[in-house]
Amino acid sequence: MYFREIRELATLCFGLGYISAAEFAVLLDEYESCNPDFPYDEYMPFNLDDMDESECLAEFRFEKQHIPLLAEALRIPAYFITSKEAEVAYPCRYNDMIPRFARPVPVLSMVTNKVINHLYETHGHRLTQWNHTILHPQALEQYAEAIHNKGAPLQNCFGFIDGTVSRTDFSPKRESACSL
């Protein structure tokens, strides 16, 4: 049960005379939400099929047709079950996502954390281990050259993290210094 529902129930109980004014005040104070009360239930549930192609690209940075492929490649399950214990506060603007996903801020936070945990558990080794097969100095030089030839101003950029340019030294004697 969400804090808002408990406050509504407390208001009903007070209105019907089941609890005193003092008990009502304690309940309202105890179940005051840290999050603003956004009207998430007034929005339509999320449906990728309802999104315009340009909306999808602008909001998710992927074409609509590629999102199911990405979910499959990352082995993201169709559903996640969250619990209140899974919630972790993070200083971002989940309230901006309410109109898109029609869910309250705590649920968006829990789902985000659940997906991040899943991605790390499933693919964490890709983040913590350097793949020398495709990331050796000669290949990194080729990647950087291809990116530079497409118009990038840097000559030593071999990859992008969420649109952020990363630089490295490609000299063979400093292979261990190469990183994203």
Side-chain angles (χ1 to χ4, degrees):
M1 187 174 282
Y2 295 109
F3 281 7
R4 178 175 60 159
E5 293 168 331
I6 293 172
R7 289 191 308 271
E8 289 171 359
L9 184 60
T11 303
L12 179 65
C13 289
F14 177 67
L16 295 173
Y18 294 139
I19 59 174
S20 68
E23 292 168 322
F24 178 60
V26 168
L27 285 171
L28 287 185
D29 187 50
E30 188 66 28
Y31 290 98
E32 180 180 4
S33 177
C34 296
N35 298 314
D37 196 14
F38 295 107
Y40 66 88
D41 49 354
E42 294 178 11
Y43 297 101
M44 296 296 296
F46 176 75
N47 186 343
L48 183 61
D49 293 333
D50 292 342
M51 289 187 73
D52 180 75
E53 191 69 48
S54 60
E55 258 184 321
C56 195
L57 189 59
E59 290 187 32
F60 303 134
R61 296 185 182 182
F62 289 96
E63 293 180 13
K64 187 166 33 173
Q65 69 201 27
H66 294 148
I67 290 178
L69 299 173
L70 180 63
E72 182 181 339
L74 293 174
R75 292 185 271 175
I76 298 175
Y79 298 97
F80 284 97
I81 298 171
T82 61
S83 65
K84 193 64 175 164
E85 293 82 40
E87 182 178 353
V88 177
Y90 186 76
C92 75
R93 297 174 52 169
Y94 289 110
N95 58 317
D96 292 340
M97 296 190 293
I98 291 172
R100 171 60 63 206
F101 296 106
R103 296 289 185 271
V105 169
V107 171
L108 293 171
S109 173
M110 287 187 287
V111 169
T112 299
N113 289 320
K114 197 77 166 180
V115 172
I116 289 170
N117 287 338
H118 167 79
L119 290 173
Y120 187 77
E121 289 167 7
T122 307
H123 304 285
H125 63 282
R126 290 182 170 93
L127 300 172
T128 59
Q129 296 173 6
W130 190 259
N131 184 337
H132 293 282
T133 306
I134 61 171
L135 299 174
H136 56 85
Q138 293 80 17
L140 295 175
E141 288 282 356
Q142 287 178 319
Y143 305 154
E145 185 179 337
I147 291 169
H148 179 68
N149 290 342
K150 286 289 188 177
L154 299 175
Q155 295 180 358
N156 59 350
C157 173
F158 68 89
F160 304 94
I161 304 168
D162 190 28
T164 305
V165 178
S166 299
R167 295 188 291 167
T168 189
D169 177 7
F170 298 120
S171 60
K173 60 187 170 236
R174 297 197 58 204
E175 181 179 353
S176 61
C178 296
S179 63
L180 285 175

